Amino acid sequence: VVIVADMQNLVSRLEKAVEKLESLAIGSGGTSGSGDTAKFVVAFDALVDGPVAEFAKYSNEVGGDVEMVLTGIQLQRQIIVTASQCQQPAEKDLVALLAPLSNQILAVQNFREKNRGSKLFNHLSAVSESIPALGWVAAAPKPGPFVKEMMGAAMFYTNRVLKEYKDVNKNHVDWVRASLNLWMELQAYIKEHHTTGLSWSKTGPKAGSNSSAPSAPQAPKVGPGPPPPPPPGCPPPPPPQSAPAEYDDTVSRSKLFAELNQGAIITKGLKHVSDDQKTHKNPQVKKLTGPKPFASPKPTIHSPAAKPVAKKEPPVLELEGKKWRVENQENQVVYIYKCVNSTLQVKEKINSITVDNCTKLGLVFEDAVGIVEVINSRDVKLQVLGKVPTISINKTDGCHVYLSKGSLTCEIVSAKSSEMNILVPGKDGDFSEFPVPEQFKTVYNGQKLVTTVTEIAG
């Protein structure tokens, strides 16, 4: 009876996933000027039918809830279809167009935070770390590498899933394969159709314009039949949910996505509405003029015992002469590339950090949720002030890692690297230096290979 009930539950979840995937085909069909469906819309639908469907299948088999991820994919498709019909909009209209997707990414991340006691927490964490990859539509000029970074941040948790279920349940191993394959196929799709950024139509109205357009036709199903006629205009995007009232059109695309990918901080500016201000309880409030959008909230002290609200410092990312100020960033991923003779300090908690192709770089950071990786670099010094679970050193010559007392349990993984030293703090505050082995001896004991560290006599 239990087996039958489990099978029925699995079939029910699979049916829901199939219905969600089918809904991705409903909506604007994405037509070119000749009336044909744009090639990159057709290619995205093929991505949905293949890797996305496979990911949904295994997610349901391991007992996960894939609904929110599929909703994010659906919002992604709507943006791609809009790009196939419209010219690139102004930055302020682009913010509004991307707002639903940005909010959905945040919802997936919040779902993980609310389910820390789940037995599938590593699965949820892998999805939470990789889901920002859907924001590639705002990442120019390198959307493909951006998706790769997000996938890399998730691999810390997918490796945990493999370690836990490798010899226990093959479905979880297949889930990891399908999850990583989804992001790899998305990279291949971007490389072919959106190499330097989301491809916008050269004709048609600008996205977000006030031109009227009829309801978008349904996307054609697979099989013979004429394609739908092209729409005469592009419907305006939904009103911005988290965008500033005014936005400078000269803001770069990378800065735009940095704002959209703030994580939980995006909700900090919302003002609490008391019962006497709610319109459904006080109709007369509708006649009043509301506060200006995004005014700084002022805490209300109801009694002498009330605690003051901690002031939240605004995030900063700007260049002052030769000095970069990176302050008060939360839930971000830092990618450092080709920096020479530079020192970088990352304040607040960060998702992950990648140091790539750097020379004589000094990096100081506080807490990292995921992995800190150094690759293809020379003479790099890292200092941890808080906690970090894993540090990876690959193809690097000369790397000094200064650990804090809170990061002594950190796992350090190295490959194809030399001159690596780990410095551990002592009771008096001085650091003790320990070299990481570079030379090994391997022998065959008659049954298997046995590898041990070889110390070179000085």
Side-chain angles (χ1 to χ4, degrees):
V1 176
V2 175
I3 294 177
V4 173
D6 289 343
M7 287 298 295
Q8 290 176 342
N9 188 26
L10 176 59
V11 170
S12 176
R13 289 202 303 270
L14 285 173
E15 288 177 347
K16 290 181 180 179
V18 171
E19 290 176 0
K20 188 68 179 178
L21 287 171
E22 289 176 346
S23 70
L24 292 177
I26 300 176
S28 178
T31 57
S32 65
S34 61
D36 298 325
T37 301
K39 290 182 179 180
F40 59 78
V41 175
V42 175
F44 189 82
D45 288 342
L47 183 73
V48 170
D49 293 338
V52 175
E54 184 181 35
F55 170 71
K57 173 178 177 290
Y58 286 114
S59 293
N60 281 289
E61 289 186 1
V62 301
D65 188 350
V66 76
E67 182 74 16
M68 288 190 293
V69 176
L70 295 181
T71 298
I73 300 286
Q74 185 177 22
L75 292 170
Q76 175 113 111
R77 184 185 188 275
Q78 292 174 3
I79 294 171
I80 291 173
V81 169
T82 300
S84 72
Q85 299 173 339
C86 305
Q87 298 182 52
Q88 184 172 351
E91 294 290 353
K92 60 182 180 181
D93 291 330
L94 184 59
V95 169
L97 184 66
L98 299 179
L101 176 59
S102 178
N103 291 338
Q104 188 64 22
I105 291 173
L106 182 61
V108 173
Q109 294 175 325
N110 288 339
F111 184 80
R112 172 251 194 145
E113 295 301 322
K114 294 176 182 178
N115 291 273
R116 286 189 166 271
S118 170
K119 64 179 182 179
L120 298 177
F121 180 71
N122 285 328
H123 300 67
L124 294 177
S125 297
V127 173
S128 177
E129 294 294 325
S130 59
I131 195 68
L134 294 181
W136 68 265
V137 290
K142 296 182 178 181
F146 173 77
V147 174
K148 184 178 180 180
E149 291 171 30
M150 300 301 105
M151 185 180 76
M155 290 182 69
F156 174 77
Y157 294 99
T158 56
N159 288 339
R160 283 188 171 184
V161 175
L162 291 176
K163 183 177 180 180
E164 181 177 359
Y165 292 98
K166 183 177 180 180
D167 300 320
V168 179
N169 191 325
K170 185 176 181 296
N171 284 342
H172 293 266
V173 178
D174 290 335
W175 179 87
V176 170
R177 177 182 56 79
S179 175
L180 297 179
N181 182 61
L182 167 59
W183 302 121
M184 287 190 292
E185 290 296 327
L186 181 58
Q187 290 178 58
Y189 165 79
I190 293 171
K191 183 176 181 180
E192 182 175 356
H193 300 283
H194 311 276
T195 308
T196 59
L198 181 61
S199 299
W200 293 88
S201 174
K202 301 299 182 183
T203 60
K206 280 196 173 184
S209 64
N210 294 323
S211 59
S212 59
S215 300
Q218 292 188 353
K221 297 182 178 180
V222 176
C234 196
Q241 301 182 25
S242 57
E246 295 183 0
Y247 207 94
D248 186 359
D249 286 358
T250 61
V251 177
S252 67
R253 183 73 61 85
S254 57
K255 184 176 180 181
L256 164 66
F257 186 74
E259 293 183 9
L260 293 176
N261 193 31
Q262 292 178 75
I265 195 174
I266 200 170
T267 61
K268 298 300 183 182
L270 300 181
K271 184 178 180 180
H272 175 71
V273 180
S274 58
D275 288 342
D276 61 344
Q277 294 177 311
K278 295 178 180 178
T279 56
H280 67 281
K281 292 186 177 183
N282 301 277
Q284 67 274 13
V285 176
K286 296 181 180 180
K287 301 178 182 179
L288 302 178
T289 301
K292 295 182 179 180
F294 296 88
S296 300
K298 298 181 180 179
T300 301
I301 301 178
H302 298 285
S303 65
K307 295 181 179 180
V309 178
K311 182 180 179 181
K312 196 69 176 181
E313 298 294 333
V316 177
L317 178 58
E318 60 184 21
L319 180 63
E320 295 180 347
K322 293 184 178 181
K323 174 185 175 183
W324 275 100
R325 290 182 59 202
V326 184
E327 301 177 1
N328 305 314
Q329 303 287 340
E330 293 186 8
N331 297 323
Q332 298 283 352
V333 172
V334 174
Y335 182 72
I336 308 166
Y337 182 67
K338 281 191 176 181
C339 290
V340 180
N341 291 325
S342 301
T343 300
L344 176 63
Q345 181 177 6
V346 181
K347 297 183 179 180
E348 303 291 342
K349 183 180 290 186
I350 202 77
N351 274 353
S352 67
I353 302 175
T354 298
V355 177
D356 186 2
N357 230 325
C358 295
T359 302
K360 295 184 179 180
L361 173 74
L363 173 63
V364 181
F365 62 95
E366 296 186 8
D367 295 311
V369 177
I371 191 171
V372 174
E373 181 180 20
V374 182
I375 185 171
N376 296 325
S377 299
R378 289 191 300 110
D379 299 332
V380 175
K381 293 184 179 181
L382 308 180
Q383 182 170 6
V384 189
L385 301 180
K387 294 182 179 180
V388 58
T390 305
I391 295 177
S392 174
I393 307 172
N394 288 283
K395 299 179 181 179
T396 295
D397 297 323
C399 184
H400 288 67
V401 179
Y402 293 80
L403 297 178
S404 65
K405 292 183 179 180
S407 61
L408 295 179
T409 58
C410 167
E411 294 181 354
I412 299 174
V413 182
S414 61
K416 298 181 180 180
S417 299
S418 64
E419 303 175 38
M420 297 173 289
N421 294 280
I422 309 301
L423 293 96
V424 179
K427 295 182 180 179
D428 54 358
D430 294 332
F431 284 87
S432 299
E433 186 172 356
F434 299 91
V436 177
E438 302 172 21
Q439 183 170 326
F440 304 89
K441 178 178 69 176
T442 301
V443 296
Y444 180 64
N445 67 358
Q447 295 180 335
K448 62 180 181 179
L449 295 177
V450 178
T451 302
T452 56
V453 175
T454 299
E455 296 186 2
I456 302 176

